[in-house]
Amino acid sequence: MKTKLLAGLAAMILGAAPLAAHAQQGPTLRVGMAAQDVGRLDPHFAVSTIDRVAVAWMFNGLVRFRPGSINPAEIEPDLAERWESSEDGKVWTFHLRRGVQFHGGFGEMTADDVVFSLQKAGNAGSSAFSADYRAFQSVEAVDPYTVRITLRENVPSLLGLVTNYSGGYIVSRRAVEQRGADFARNPVGTGPFAMERITPNTSAELVANAQYFRGAPQIGRISYRFIPSDASRDLAYQNRELDLNYGRADQTWVNRTRQVPNTTVDVFEPGELTILSLDVSKPPFDDIRVRRAFAHAINRQEMVRWRGPDVSREGQSVVPRGYLGFTADNGLLPFDQARARALMAEAGHANGLSVRVIHTQLPEMLNGMQVIQQQLRRVGINLDLQVVEHATFHQQIRQNLSPLVYYAAARFPVADIFLSQFFHSRSIPGTPTAVTNFSHCNVADSQIDAARVSTNREEQLRLWAQAQRLLVENVCAVPVMETLLVFARRNNLSYGYELRGSMSLGPLITEQTRLN
Amino acid sequence: MIGFVFRRLIASIPTLLAVLTLVFIIVRVVPGDPALVILGDQATPEAAAALRARLGLDVPILTQYVRFLGNALTGDIGTSMVSGRPVFEEVGAVLPHTIDLTIASMILGIVVGVPVGIWAALHRNGVIDVAARLLSLIGLSFPVFVSGIFLLIGFALQLRWFPVIGQADLGDYGDRIHKLILPAITLGLVMAAYITRVTRSAMLASLSEDYIRTARAKGVPWRRVVWVHGLRNASLPVVTVVGLYVGILIGNSVLTEIVFNRPGLGKVIVGALNQRDYTMLQGLMVIYCFLIVVVNLITDLLYGVLDPRVKAA
């Protein structure tokens, strides 16, 4: 044991020889990211922002959001050149692009890889997004360049499940089988950039994929630096050591960064909707009057002023705005402190109410909750915040230990996902299919279920709107604000498209991206 | 000497075992589910259960412990739950940076702290002594994340002598030293402050001993009295503090690593803790503990060199 230990340590101390560098064809793009390290770059396990951003540079889906857009109506061909569906919408056939090569000599992408990838995405043991693929009955290779997907029931957006997002990325079957667990840090895709090496807690180095099917990228390499300290990252950007910098959704930061010479601050979708879920199954929120008082006490305008008008906007529903199915016509209770106090008195809490709430110490979430705490104090509601470490917060709110949960999230921009995960009874923590329904509400189950399988778009929109009205009327959750994504870049970096949104939560670096 | 080293290494085995057991228990007592951290907030209980099974977290804790100890005894300290790569490999990529920083800070601390401590002791309660005590107090109370940012603003942003991102190429020794200077100054000055205070106290005690008075009465030159008789006897507590502080430096370098964007063991430990990467934490503790044992051994050997009575005992 000692010999092995000593040998290992000696090798470490002397310093491992760096991997052989790839030939550099173009400039290096240096990206600063606010994170300690990447996690798993197997796209079906890429759940954090830092992982999602990098995965989008290395992988493709059968279809893709047009770069710079998160509008499902602008989905366009990617690895599939074209597709068709049966009349009932349950059978989809995709015709693959020929000659697409995987990174690192793993050969041509064929229907076999697509079948493997989608089956992997739908398997709980090999994907974090398996629940999204419940409606898949089968995925088959009709021939090497044709894939057929058969559904058990209709889904709101089949294309959304095979796009360049979450489980929709296509991996190399051979690479996954050959590399096993190592695939998470040595991923193999078909995208414009390929992984070269990862230095733990430091950086990931990517090289251009000269064989990329849309043409060789103009950027030669990407150096993806993990810099958790905001101050250090900003200093590195100011010192011209970074070309692209993850920004803070904070007006002061945006204003200050805009003053840095040759800098553009990009603010883009998707907005992360912050909601306050109230557990309707337990006191004090089992009383609708308390929930209504709570809703009237929240001043959304003040929240936006606090966060910054350039980077946030008021939440208007329990679904983020812009999502397919969103409606602002839902009867959302307005800010009204007098009404809130009256409702509290009516509910027997004229002398005030104290609620013990578990919350994370993550600064951006903690600060937001402290503003909410002040707003509620004005109507006699005292939030007794139990601040815990972030992983502990996630575990404890899933054990139903907090009657109020402050949660911010962005999902695929179709109302079904948000409604199902946050408001369907199947998603209540403690159930076998639990996700994030911390409100324990079930008032809109039938509308959510019916909308999901409906093939009539108008009916679907009507059902989603009805579900939102029911959830708002019952005050299952109070929407607070939507926070947009922020990145700063040097003016010599041109994405090659207009950045209005990105489902990977960071700018896509494509073959068109230039660094002059 | 070899027998002494061998006996100390054997004696360290129970310490290692105790540390391994403690770490194994502590990481599992801390709330937070590794499966949830890895799978994210959309994961279903089914997916989390599948992952826990794959990570070996579904078996009784005693079985996990026996497996862990068995593997550790064969030199296998596991595979990171998050990255899926061997802990040795992950640590190996950053350990040279930590060792660079530790050694450079230690050298700076000794080179600055010992002479200043002696100088202060020789001018007890004079201007030099007061200044040295005041500066060492400032050095001790200034957090490294503040002094580090000041150094970055001054030397990186204004003068442009150093980069803000301190990730060095291990194969390029010039680059390695260049990027080491600011972090080493940040940590080294804290160490120098410690050493100054200890050296001053030890020297004051040593200089008031009878043998010093005797040496002076015999006409031994003052310089020799101070550097040979005084310092040699005062160096035992200094060596003790340096030995202890090296262990603290390895663990506490995390803030310096974050501010200067350097890879290192401290950052890996924080990352593993945030991600509830049990195996990585356990592996890191084994390596950390091993390094501490080695540092303590070197300290003990130095005692023997400085004071033959220690060797004889």
Side-chain angles (χ1 to χ4, degrees), chain B residues 188-200:
Chain B
L189 289 182
V190 180
M191 185 151 186
Y194 262 113
I195 293 177
T196 299
R197 295 177 81 84
V198 174
T199 308
R200 178 187 172 275

Side-chain angles (χ1 to χ4, degrees), chain A residues 1 9 12-13 36 40 47 125 185 201-203 225 227 232 239 241 389 392 395 398 407 411 421 434, chain B residues 32 39 41-42 45 54 73 81-83 88 92 96 99 156 160 164-165 167 259 261 263 267-268 276 290:
Chain A
M1 174 211 170
L9 282 168
M12 291 171 190
I13 292 161
Q36 190 83 32
R40 295 183 168 217
V47 292
R185 301 286 264 206
N201 293 278
T202 305
S203 70
R225 313 267 172 89
I227 311 178
S232 303
N239 210 31
E241 291 173 47
E389 193 267 334
T392 308
Q395 188 186 37
R398 282 166 177 78
Y407 211 88
R411 298 284 183 261
Q421 291 189 0
Chain B
L39 293 174
D41 63 349
Q42 296 181 61
R54 219 175 60 219
L73 288 173
M81 284 181 176
V82 176
S83 71
F88 259 133
I99 289 174
R160 298 193 181 278
V164 175
I165 297 176
Q167 179 193 350
V259 170
N261 307 299
K267 262 171 100 175
V268 177
R276 299 294 189 273
F290 185 79

Side-chain angles (χ1 to χ4, degrees), chain A residues 59 102 106 113 116-117 170-177 183 188-189:
Chain A
F59 289 89
F102 279 112
F106 277 91
D113 296 296
F116 174 79
S117 298
I170 302 304
V171 298
S172 157
R173 176 182 190 155
R174 191 150 67 88
V176 171
E177 289 175 348
F183 185 81
V188 174

Side-chain angles (χ1 to χ4, degrees), chain B residues 105-150:
Chain B
S105 309
M106 191 179 71
I107 290 172
L108 187 70
I110 293 169
V111 166
V112 174
V114 171
V116 173
I118 294 171
W119 205 22
L122 295 178
H123 298 83
R124 187 180 186 180
N125 294 332
V127 177
I128 290 169
D129 184 27
V130 172
R133 277 153 59 193
L134 188 69
L135 286 175
S136 65
L137 193 66
I138 292 172
L140 285 175
S141 31
F142 230 64
V144 290
F145 58 84
V146 175
S147 51
I149 293 284
F150 279 152

